[in-house]
Structure formats: C-alpha cells, structure tokens
C-alpha cells in the first residue's frame, strides 16, 4: 500500500475484518509524519462511526508502535464524533463526516471510508472538493514528484447496481489506462 501511495488514487475493496481501516489509518498517520504541514482526513458515512473507528485504530497503533505517539503534540483531541491529531511537523489529521459544516475545509489527502454507505452527492459536493490544495514543501515550492490531492477509497463489497460498484469499475479502468495515477487492490 505504501508504495502505491505515489498514485493519486488508491481503491481498496476487501471483506469485513480484513484490516482495511487499520492499514489506511496507518498510511494516513505515516503521510502526516513524512509530509510536513500536510492536512489529511478520514471521512466515514456516520459522524460518530468514523471517530470510533479512527479512535480504536490510532490507539491500537500506539499500543503496537509506542514511538508513533511521540510524533503528535499532546495526547490528541478525541471526542465522540471527531478526532484531531496535530503532529510536531505541522501536519494535521482529522476525522470528519460529509456534513454541510465540513464545506470550506482544505486537505492534501483523504480517506473515504466505507464509500458504499456514502451518498454520491455528498462525495462529489462535500468530500472531494476538500482536496483542492497542493502541499508545499518547507521552502513553499510544490514538489512535482509528490502525489497531490491523494484519495484513498476503501469499502467492503457492495451491490452490483450501486454507486460503489460504478466507482470501483471507474477506478479499475483508470488504474489500467493510467497506472501512474490510480491503483486498485482487494
């Protein structure tokens, strides 16, 4: 997965209890660590659902790799329906849901968790517009070799006649036609 993050979009489809959320939270955490001043998010369909998943996975990461906790300032900000981690290098990781109050935020990388449960309009009108800025390096220049506005789409299986299925086919086609911009795995 980490090698594939050089792509602009990564699609993950796997059954429940296969570690999708853990791997993607770890990837987002590492992006925050290795890309200073990056703004990254996880978006789940339900407001409390994303916070609960991320809270569990972040604390599991800290249990498995205690040094990762030293990368953030303080103990993190964990609420029932939000999480905000501020990293020592200026990066931020937040958990949000597709609400109108989310509009106007900006990010460099985002995970769309269980996108089979999201409304298509919420994804196109609220979530994807968040990814509209490039991450400048410390010298304020944009690295042409760094993937910008990275999207990580993860989900369990879905019905064939659904937005999730159509998006999966679109991403699969994109990974074949332009393998430098998209990667799919399951």
């Amino acid at each position: 997965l980490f090698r594939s993050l050089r792509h602009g979009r990564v699609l993950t489809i796997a059954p429940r209890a296969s570690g999708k959320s853990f791997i993607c939270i770890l990837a987002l955490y590492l992006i925050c660590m290795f890309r200073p001043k990056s703004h990254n998010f996880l978006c789940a369909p339900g407001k409390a659902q994303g916070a609960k998943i991320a809270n569990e996975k972040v604390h599991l990461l800290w249990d498995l790799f205690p040094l990762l906790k030293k990368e953030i300032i303080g103990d993190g900000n964990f609420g029932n329906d939000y999480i905000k981690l501020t990293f020592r290098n200026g990066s931020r990781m937040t958990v949000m849901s597709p609400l109108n109050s989310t509009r106007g935020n900006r990010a460099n990388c985002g995970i769309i968790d269980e996108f089979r449960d999201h409304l298509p309009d919420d994804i196109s009108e609220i979530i994807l517009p968040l990814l509209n800025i490039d991450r400048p390096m410390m010298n304020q220049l944009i690295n042409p070799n760094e993937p910008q506005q990275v999207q990580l789409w993860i989900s369990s299986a879905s019905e064939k006649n659904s937005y999730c299925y159509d998006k999966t086919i679109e991403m699969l086609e994109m990974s074949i036609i332009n393998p430098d911009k998209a990667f799919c795995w399951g």
Side-chain angles (χ1 to χ4, degrees):
L1 174 65
F2 303 113
R3 188 171 151 247
S4 67
L5 287 176
R6 70 179 183 7
H7 303 287
R9 294 185 183 139
V10 177
L11 172 69
T12 304
I13 303 287
R16 293 213 174 272
S18 61
K20 301 180 302 290
S21 296
F22 178 81
I23 291 170
C24 285
I25 292 285
L26 174 60
L28 199 60
Y29 203 98
L30 293 175
I31 288 169
C32 288
M33 287 172 43
F34 296 129
R35 293 185 182 165
K37 297 192 180 213
S38 63
H39 302 166
N40 308 289
F41 69 86
L42 171 107
C43 186
K47 194 172 184 184
Q49 176 188 4
K52 181 180 175 191
I53 291 168
N55 187 345
E56 178 184 315
K57 302 309 178 197
V58 166
H59 282 90
L60 179 59
L61 278 175
W62 291 346
D63 289 344
L64 294 172
F65 309 105
L67 286 176
L68 290 181
K69 188 170 184 183
K70 295 187 183 284
E71 294 292 331
I72 67 164
I73 297 171
D75 292 324
N77 192 352
F78 295 90
N80 289 335
D81 56 359
Y82 67 91
I83 290 179
K84 293 179 184 175
L85 300 178
T86 303
F87 288 74
R88 296 189 184 280
N89 64 6
S91 293
R92 290 188 322 234
M93 180 174 147
T94 59
V95 174
M96 60 181 64
S97 56
L99 302 171
N100 283 328
S101 60
T102 304
R103 295 178 195 266
N105 291 325
R106 302 290 176 253
N108 309 112
C109 176
I111 294 176
I112 304 164
D113 190 24
E114 288 297 349
F115 72 95
R116 70 182 184 153
D117 297 332
H118 283 278
L119 297 174
D121 290 343
D122 287 349
I123 290 177
S124 62
E125 295 173 10
I126 298 173
I127 301 169
L128 293 180
L130 299 174
L131 297 167
N132 65 355
I133 58 170
D134 293 338
R135 185 195 72 87
M137 297 181 293
M138 295 304 278
N139 63 4
Q140 299 307 309
L141 298 175
I142 303 297
N143 181 350
N145 299 314
E146 179 181 317
Q148 301 290 342
Q149 303 170 11
V150 175
Q151 302 171 21
L152 301 165
W153 297 68
I154 63 174
S155 187
S156 302
S158 180
E159 297 175 4
K160 193 169 183 178
N161 295 327
S162 67
Y163 171 77
C164 180
Y165 180 81
D166 294 340
K167 191 64 176 177
T168 302
I169 297 300
E170 176 188 325
M171 296 281 279
L172 180 61
E173 289 171 350
M174 186 186 306
S175 71
I176 294 167
I177 294 168
N178 195 351
D180 289 337
K181 296 290 180 191
F183 176 79
C184 297
W185 68 300

